[in-house]
Every structure is written in C-alpha cells, then in structure tokens.
Amino acid sequence: MSKCDVFSTTGSHLLNEKQVAQLAGVSTSWLQKLRMLGDGPKFYKLGKAVRYAEKDVLQWLESQRAA
C-alpha cells in the first residue's frame, strides 16, 4: 500500500509523532511508550516512519475524556 492509498483509505491527513504530541499536549516519548504498551491511537508503520491518521487521533482523544 502506498502513502497515496493510505490517504484515500483513511480520508484523513497523516500526522507524524511530533504533530500528534503537540495536538494531544504530550511528549513524543509518551506516545512511544503507549505504542510499546499496545495502547494509544492507531498508527501506521511506513518503513521506519510512524504516522497517525488525524481522524484516529481525534477519536482516541475523545475516548480519553473523563465522564
């Protein structure tokens, strides 16, 4: 699957780790730890690069809202 296919499949922009950390107000190392624990927003592994679909990040953030 090429990067273009990922864009059309997700209907969302792909964000890098730094962009997601800024959006969520957390550190990149915290995101890395979540990935290692199998938690956090869904992500794509493109070679060595990790990318997040913007819509997946927003959905994950919404799921973290306290009642």
Side-chain angles (χ1 to χ4, degrees):
M1 180 180 288
S2 73
K3 289 182 183 181
C4 292
D5 293 336
V6 172
F7 284 123
S8 62
T9 302
T10 62
S12 183
H13 295 291
L14 293 181
L15 305 173
N16 64 33
E17 215 173 46
K18 189 174 180 178
Q19 292 169 316
V20 174
Q22 288 175 338
L23 179 65
V26 298
S27 67
T28 55
S29 62
W30 187 77
L31 283 174
Q32 292 165 354
K33 184 175 181 178
L34 285 179
R35 278 200 316 273
M36 288 177 20
L37 295 173
D39 199 4
K42 296 176 188 175
F43 64 94
Y44 296 96
K45 187 76 174 178
L46 305 170
K48 292 184 179 182
V50 175
R51 297 293 182 262
Y52 298 85
E54 184 177 26
K55 70 178 184 104
D56 290 339
V57 174
L58 295 175
Q59 287 175 348
W60 179 78
L61 284 172
E62 185 62 29
S63 75
Q64 301 304 300
R65 183 184 289 197

